[in-house]
Amino acid sequence: MEKKAQMRTMFTSSEWDECKWSKTVKGKATYATVMSITFWNGVNLCLKVFAPLVKVLRIVDADKKPSMGFLYGELKHAKEAIKEALNNIEKNYQPIIEIIEARVKDRLDSPLHFAAYLLNPYYFFKDMGIKLDHEVMDGFFNCVEMFYDANGELQSHVVNIELPKYTHKEGTFGKSWATQGCAENDDNYNPVKWWITYGNHTPNLQRMAIRILSLTSSSSGCERNWSTFEGIHTKKRNRLDVHRLNNLVYVQFNAKLMNKQKREKERNVDVLLASDASNAQGWIVEGGDDEEIDPGTRLTWEVVGEASGADGMFQPRRSSRMREFHEDDFQSEEEEDEQELNEFDFEFDEDHVLEEYGEEEV
């Protein structure tokens, strides 16, 4: 969408008319697409619908603060933003909301999610009506029963004595600076730190809130470690003992975190929440941000090997799935049709998606 004007200019230029690709079937189809008003309206609508969901995914994937306390609340905000983007016309937004709710059901609506939503003052202090939501309160009660299992007296004390102090903003919860401390979800706000500061008069509820709000809701950190393990534990280096292997992963992964934090300070921007999606590429694709790392601060494989005492130098592996594209890779429609079936291995369509594809003209 940002390059809409430039793309239209390119396809209306004399250079495009003289280009051999403009005579191919795909070239003509691309020209019709780029010049179509309907296509760009669809792109704009897709951005309005998916932008709130992408924001939720980036919050979940961020590693500055735990995301459990924000997931349910941000999902609610995302659904409201989608409704507004579709002018609050039910027939337009209802199919999308149904898909989201189907994905959320039995996955992101557990008692932990509800309790974290209630105990996060960023949401509760803005909407005191959350305590009237029976799903949220039932989820919180279930968490109390599990957290203080087999201790009915303590459960009763948390629910009947300590919780009302929080929900009615009594004591330190009612201080103006307590409200100001959770008014904005910025880099300075962390619900765990907020409870440590203002929850001293409700020690049992404080302990429960800190434990729940300290949870993550994504396995991204583990997956990044798996990629690091893959790069270290190769076939030629499979005799490393577990202790040394863990130390190598610890050194390399934390070096990446240090470089990431350094870049954030230099840019003064959150990599995963930035408006420029390319800033997150380094975490999405392995090695995607290698060029942005200062060579003076890069922790090379040689240094890691020397520090660990491992035999040989570590060399990052190049993925066999990556290749460069050249002009010769592109062919006309007629040339591609002859080779198309021989070049691709098709997977079994288990969900029968292809049966419905193409029934309606886009």
Side-chain angles (χ1 to χ4, degrees), residues 312-346:
M313 294 188 301
F314 298 127
Q315 297 295 336
R317 296 187 298 170
R318 181 179 180 86
S319 174
S320 60
R321 292 174 294 179
M322 300 296 293
R323 67 184 183 93
E324 296 181 356
F325 290 93
H326 302 281
E327 183 176 347
D328 295 338
D329 293 333
F330 294 92
Q331 301 171 338
S332 65
E333 185 72 20
E334 293 78 5
E335 293 172 328
E336 286 185 345
D337 288 342
E338 297 177 0
Q339 303 178 10
E340 204 168 38
L341 295 177
N342 297 326
E343 292 180 349
F344 296 96
D345 294 326
F346 295 96

Short mmCIF file of all heavy atoms in Angstrom, two decimals, residues 312-346:
data_model
loop_
_atom_site.label_atom_id
_atom_site.label_comp_id
_atom_site.label_asym_id
_atom_site.label_seq_id
_atom_site.Cartn_x
_atom_site.Cartn_y
_atom_site.Cartn_z
N GLY A 312 37.84 -27.24 17.00
CA GLY A 312 37.38 -26.71 15.72
C GLY A 312 36.64 -25.42 15.89
O GLY A 312 36.28 -25.00 16.99
N MET A 313 36.41 -24.77 14.79
CA MET A 313 35.66 -23.52 14.79
C MET A 313 34.24 -23.80 14.37
O MET A 313 33.97 -24.70 13.58
CB MET A 313 36.30 -22.50 13.85
CG MET A 313 37.67 -22.04 14.30
SD MET A 313 38.25 -20.69 13.28
CE MET A 313 38.23 -21.43 11.68
N PHE A 314 33.31 -22.98 14.93
CA PHE A 314 31.91 -23.11 14.59
C PHE A 314 31.61 -22.24 13.40
O PHE A 314 31.96 -21.07 13.39
CB PHE A 314 31.03 -22.69 15.77
CG PHE A 314 31.23 -23.54 16.99
CD1 PHE A 314 31.53 -22.96 18.21
CD2 PHE A 314 31.12 -24.90 16.89
CE1 PHE A 314 31.71 -23.75 19.31
CE2 PHE A 314 31.29 -25.69 17.99
CZ PHE A 314 31.59 -25.12 19.21
N GLN A 315 30.95 -22.80 12.44
CA GLN A 315 30.56 -22.04 11.26
C GLN A 315 29.06 -22.12 11.10
O GLN A 315 28.51 -23.21 11.18
CB GLN A 315 31.23 -22.60 10.01
CG GLN A 315 32.74 -22.49 10.03
CD GLN A 315 33.20 -21.05 10.03
OE1 GLN A 315 32.48 -20.18 9.58
NE2 GLN A 315 34.40 -20.79 10.53
N PRO A 316 28.38 -21.00 10.93
CA PRO A 316 26.93 -21.03 10.73
C PRO A 316 26.59 -21.76 9.45
O PRO A 316 27.27 -21.62 8.43
CB PRO A 316 26.53 -19.54 10.65
CG PRO A 316 27.78 -18.85 10.25
CD PRO A 316 28.91 -19.63 10.83
N ARG A 317 25.54 -22.54 9.49
CA ARG A 317 25.13 -23.32 8.33
C ARG A 317 24.20 -22.51 7.44
O ARG A 317 23.32 -21.81 7.92
CB ARG A 317 24.41 -24.60 8.78
CG ARG A 317 25.31 -25.54 9.54
CD ARG A 317 24.57 -26.84 9.80
NE ARG A 317 23.40 -26.60 10.62
CZ ARG A 317 22.47 -27.52 10.84
NH1 ARG A 317 22.56 -28.70 10.28
NH2 ARG A 317 21.44 -27.25 11.61
N ARG A 318 24.37 -22.67 6.17
CA ARG A 318 23.51 -21.99 5.20
C ARG A 318 22.35 -22.92 4.88
O ARG A 318 22.55 -24.09 4.56
CB ARG A 318 24.29 -21.66 3.93
CG ARG A 318 23.44 -20.93 2.88
CD ARG A 318 24.28 -20.62 1.67
NE ARG A 318 23.51 -19.93 0.68
CZ ARG A 318 23.33 -18.64 0.63
NH1 ARG A 318 23.84 -17.89 1.58
NH2 ARG A 318 22.62 -18.08 -0.33
N SER A 319 21.18 -22.42 4.99
CA SER A 319 20.01 -23.25 4.74
C SER A 319 19.95 -23.67 3.29
O SER A 319 20.17 -22.88 2.38
CB SER A 319 18.74 -22.48 5.12
OG SER A 319 17.60 -23.22 4.75
N SER A 320 19.64 -24.95 3.07
CA SER A 320 19.55 -25.46 1.71
C SER A 320 18.31 -24.96 1.01
O SER A 320 18.18 -25.09 -0.20
CB SER A 320 19.54 -26.99 1.74
OG SER A 320 18.43 -27.45 2.49
N ARG A 321 17.36 -24.39 1.81
CA ARG A 321 16.13 -23.91 1.20
C ARG A 321 16.27 -22.52 0.61
O ARG A 321 15.39 -22.03 -0.08
CB ARG A 321 15.00 -23.90 2.24
CG ARG A 321 14.59 -25.29 2.67
CD ARG A 321 13.58 -25.21 3.79
NE ARG A 321 14.18 -24.63 4.99
CZ ARG A 321 13.50 -24.43 6.12
NH1 ARG A 321 12.24 -24.74 6.20
NH2 ARG A 321 14.11 -23.92 7.16
N MET A 322 17.37 -21.82 0.89
CA MET A 322 17.56 -20.46 0.41
C MET A 322 18.36 -20.50 -0.90
O MET A 322 19.35 -21.21 -1.02
CB MET A 322 18.31 -19.63 1.45
CG MET A 322 17.60 -19.54 2.78
SD MET A 322 16.03 -18.69 2.64
CE MET A 322 16.62 -17.04 2.24
N ARG A 323 17.96 -19.75 -1.88
CA ARG A 323 18.71 -19.64 -3.11
C ARG A 323 18.48 -18.25 -3.69
O ARG A 323 17.52 -17.57 -3.36
CB ARG A 323 18.31 -20.71 -4.12
CG ARG A 323 16.89 -20.57 -4.66
CD ARG A 323 16.57 -21.73 -5.58
NE ARG A 323 15.23 -21.58 -6.16
CZ ARG A 323 14.99 -21.02 -7.32
NH1 ARG A 323 15.97 -20.48 -8.00
NH2 ARG A 323 13.77 -20.94 -7.79
N GLU A 324 19.38 -17.85 -4.58
CA GLU A 324 19.27 -16.55 -5.20
C GLU A 324 18.46 -16.66 -6.49
O GLU A 324 18.47 -17.68 -7.17
CB GLU A 324 20.65 -15.99 -5.51
CG GLU A 324 21.49 -15.73 -4.25
CD GLU A 324 22.83 -15.17 -4.58
OE1 GLU A 324 23.13 -15.06 -5.80
OE2 GLU A 324 23.57 -14.83 -3.66
N PHE A 325 17.75 -15.61 -6.81
CA PHE A 325 16.95 -15.58 -8.03
C PHE A 325 17.64 -14.69 -9.06
O PHE A 325 18.11 -13.60 -8.75
CB PHE A 325 15.54 -15.04 -7.73
CG PHE A 325 14.72 -15.99 -6.94
CD1 PHE A 325 14.67 -15.90 -5.55
CD2 PHE A 325 13.98 -16.98 -7.56
CE1 PHE A 325 13.92 -16.78 -4.81
CE2 PHE A 325 13.22 -17.86 -6.82
CZ PHE A 325 13.18 -17.77 -5.46
N HIS A 326 17.67 -15.17 -10.29
CA HIS A 326 18.25 -14.41 -11.38
C HIS A 326 17.21 -14.21 -12.47
O HIS A 326 16.16 -14.84 -12.47
CB HIS A 326 19.48 -15.15 -11.95
CG HIS A 326 20.53 -15.40 -10.93
ND1 HIS A 326 21.42 -14.45 -10.50
CD2 HIS A 326 20.81 -16.51 -10.19
CE1 HIS A 326 22.23 -14.95 -9.59
NE2 HIS A 326 21.87 -16.21 -9.36
N GLU A 327 17.55 -13.38 -13.42
CA GLU A 327 16.59 -13.07 -14.47
C GLU A 327 16.22 -14.31 -15.27
O GLU A 327 15.10 -14.47 -15.74
CB GLU A 327 17.17 -12.00 -15.40
CG GLU A 327 16.20 -11.56 -16.49
CD GLU A 327 16.79 -10.45 -17.31
OE1 GLU A 327 17.81 -9.87 -16.89
OE2 GLU A 327 16.24 -10.15 -18.38
N ASP A 328 17.17 -15.26 -15.38
CA ASP A 328 16.91 -16.46 -16.16
C ASP A 328 15.89 -17.37 -15.50
O ASP A 328 15.36 -18.29 -16.13
CB ASP A 328 18.21 -17.25 -16.38
CG ASP A 328 19.19 -16.47 -17.24
OD1 ASP A 328 18.72 -15.57 -17.97
OD2 ASP A 328 20.41 -16.75 -17.17
N ASP A 329 15.65 -17.16 -14.20
CA ASP A 329 14.68 -17.99 -13.50
C ASP A 329 13.26 -17.69 -13.95
O ASP A 329 12.35 -18.50 -13.72
CB ASP A 329 14.78 -17.78 -11.98
CG ASP A 329 16.09 -18.31 -11.44
OD1 ASP A 329 16.63 -19.24 -12.06
OD2 ASP A 329 16.55 -17.81 -10.40
N PHE A 330 13.03 -16.54 -14.51
CA PHE A 330 11.68 -16.15 -14.91
C PHE A 330 11.43 -16.57 -16.35
O PHE A 330 12.26 -16.36 -17.24
CB PHE A 330 11.50 -14.62 -14.77
CG PHE A 330 11.57 -14.16 -13.35
CD1 PHE A 330 12.78 -13.75 -12.80
CD2 PHE A 330 10.44 -14.16 -12.56
CE1 PHE A 330 12.83 -13.34 -11.48
CE2 PHE A 330 10.50 -13.75 -11.25
CZ PHE A 330 11.70 -13.34 -10.71
N GLN A 331 10.27 -17.13 -16.58
CA GLN A 331 9.92 -17.60 -17.90
C GLN A 331 8.55 -17.08 -18.27
O GLN A 331 7.79 -16.65 -17.42
CB GLN A 331 9.91 -19.14 -17.94
CG GLN A 331 11.27 -19.75 -17.56
CD GLN A 331 11.17 -21.25 -17.39
OE1 GLN A 331 10.08 -21.76 -17.16
NE2 GLN A 331 12.29 -21.94 -17.53
N SER A 332 8.24 -17.14 -19.53
CA SER A 332 6.93 -16.72 -19.96
C SER A 332 5.90 -17.76 -19.57
O SER A 332 6.23 -18.87 -19.16
CB SER A 332 6.92 -16.52 -21.48
OG SER A 332 7.15 -17.77 -22.12
N GLU A 333 4.65 -17.41 -19.75
CA GLU A 333 3.55 -18.30 -19.34
C GLU A 333 3.62 -19.63 -20.08
O GLU A 333 3.41 -20.68 -19.52
CB GLU A 333 2.22 -17.60 -19.62
CG GLU A 333 0.99 -18.37 -19.14
CD GLU A 333 0.88 -18.36 -17.63
OE1 GLU A 333 1.51 -17.49 -17.00
OE2 GLU A 333 0.19 -19.23 -17.09
N GLU A 334 3.92 -19.57 -21.39
CA GLU A 334 3.95 -20.79 -22.18
C GLU A 334 5.07 -21.72 -21.73
O GLU A 334 4.92 -22.94 -21.67
CB GLU A 334 4.11 -20.46 -23.67
CG GLU A 334 2.91 -19.73 -24.28
CD GLU A 334 2.88 -18.25 -23.91
OE1 GLU A 334 3.85 -17.80 -23.28
OE2 GLU A 334 1.90 -17.56 -24.25
N GLU A 335 6.24 -21.16 -21.41
CA GLU A 335 7.37 -21.99 -21.01
C GLU A 335 7.14 -22.61 -19.64
O GLU A 335 7.55 -23.72 -19.37
CB GLU A 335 8.65 -21.14 -20.99
CG GLU A 335 9.07 -20.67 -22.36
CD GLU A 335 10.22 -19.69 -22.26
OE1 GLU A 335 10.28 -18.93 -21.26
OE2 GLU A 335 11.04 -19.66 -23.17
N GLU A 336 6.46 -21.86 -18.77
CA GLU A 336 6.23 -22.36 -17.42
C GLU A 336 5.24 -23.51 -17.41
O GLU A 336 5.36 -24.44 -16.63
CB GLU A 336 5.74 -21.23 -16.51
CG GLU A 336 6.81 -20.26 -16.12
CD GLU A 336 6.30 -19.25 -15.13
OE1 GLU A 336 5.07 -19.14 -14.99
OE2 GLU A 336 7.12 -18.60 -14.50
N ASP A 337 4.22 -23.44 -18.28
CA ASP A 337 3.18 -24.46 -18.27
C ASP A 337 3.76 -25.85 -18.54
O ASP A 337 3.27 -26.85 -18.03
CB ASP A 337 2.12 -24.13 -19.33
CG ASP A 337 1.28 -22.94 -18.90
OD1 ASP A 337 1.30 -22.64 -17.69
OD2 ASP A 337 0.63 -22.32 -19.77
N GLU A 338 4.82 -25.94 -19.38
CA GLU A 338 5.37 -27.23 -19.74
C GLU A 338 6.15 -27.87 -18.59
O GLU A 338 6.27 -29.08 -18.51
CB GLU A 338 6.29 -27.07 -20.96
CG GLU A 338 5.56 -26.58 -22.20
CD GLU A 338 6.54 -26.36 -23.35
OE1 GLU A 338 7.76 -26.59 -23.14
OE2 GLU A 338 6.08 -25.97 -24.42
N GLN A 339 6.70 -27.02 -17.71
CA GLN A 339 7.55 -27.54 -16.65
C GLN A 339 6.90 -27.51 -15.28
O GLN A 339 7.45 -28.03 -14.32
CB GLN A 339 8.85 -26.72 -16.57
CG GLN A 339 9.62 -26.70 -17.88
CD GLN A 339 10.86 -25.84 -17.76
OE1 GLN A 339 11.23 -25.42 -16.67
NE2 GLN A 339 11.50 -25.58 -18.88
N GLU A 340 5.73 -26.92 -15.18
CA GLU A 340 5.14 -26.62 -13.88
C GLU A 340 4.92 -27.88 -13.05
O GLU A 340 5.28 -27.96 -11.89
CB GLU A 340 3.82 -25.90 -14.09
CG GLU A 340 3.42 -25.06 -12.89
CD GLU A 340 2.27 -24.13 -13.22
OE1 GLU A 340 1.38 -24.54 -13.98
OE2 GLU A 340 2.29 -23.01 -12.72
N LEU A 341 4.32 -28.92 -13.68
CA LEU A 341 3.98 -30.12 -12.93
C LEU A 341 5.21 -30.92 -12.53
O LEU A 341 5.18 -31.67 -11.56
CB LEU A 341 3.02 -30.99 -13.75
CG LEU A 341 1.65 -30.38 -14.02
CD1 LEU A 341 0.82 -31.31 -14.90
CD2 LEU A 341 0.92 -30.08 -12.72
N ASN A 342 6.30 -30.78 -13.29
CA ASN A 342 7.50 -31.55 -13.00
C ASN A 342 8.36 -30.91 -11.92
O ASN A 342 9.20 -31.56 -11.33
CB ASN A 342 8.34 -31.72 -14.27
CG ASN A 342 7.60 -32.50 -15.34
OD1 ASN A 342 6.83 -33.41 -15.00
ND2 ASN A 342 7.83 -32.17 -16.60
N GLU A 343 8.17 -29.61 -11.68
CA GLU A 343 9.05 -28.89 -10.75
C GLU A 343 8.54 -28.89 -9.33
O GLU A 343 9.31 -28.65 -8.40
CB GLU A 343 9.22 -27.44 -11.22
CG GLU A 343 10.01 -27.33 -12.50
CD GLU A 343 10.16 -25.88 -12.92
OE1 GLU A 343 9.47 -25.03 -12.32
OE2 GLU A 343 10.95 -25.61 -13.82
N PHE A 344 7.27 -29.16 -9.11
CA PHE A 344 6.71 -29.02 -7.79
C PHE A 344 6.18 -30.36 -7.29
O PHE A 344 5.57 -31.12 -8.04
CB PHE A 344 5.59 -27.98 -7.77
CG PHE A 344 6.06 -26.60 -8.11
CD1 PHE A 344 5.95 -26.11 -9.40
CD2 PHE A 344 6.64 -25.81 -7.14
CE1 PHE A 344 6.40 -24.86 -9.72
CE2 PHE A 344 7.09 -24.55 -7.45
CZ PHE A 344 6.98 -24.06 -8.73
N ASP A 345 6.39 -30.60 -6.02
CA ASP A 345 5.82 -31.77 -5.34
C ASP A 345 4.61 -31.31 -4.55
O ASP A 345 4.74 -30.51 -3.63
CB ASP A 345 6.85 -32.41 -4.40
CG ASP A 345 8.00 -32.99 -5.20
OD1 ASP A 345 7.75 -33.49 -6.31
OD2 ASP A 345 9.13 -32.97 -4.68
N PHE A 346 3.45 -31.81 -4.90
CA PHE A 346 2.24 -31.38 -4.24
C PHE A 346 1.96 -32.26 -3.02
O PHE A 346 2.13 -33.48 -3.07
CB PHE A 346 1.04 -31.44 -5.19
CG PHE A 346 1.16 -30.47 -6.33
CD1 PHE A 346 1.66 -30.87 -7.57
CD2 PHE A 346 0.81 -29.16 -6.16
CE1 PHE A 346 1.78 -29.96 -8.60
CE2 PHE A 346 0.92 -28.24 -7.19
CZ PHE A 346 1.41 -28.64 -8.41
#
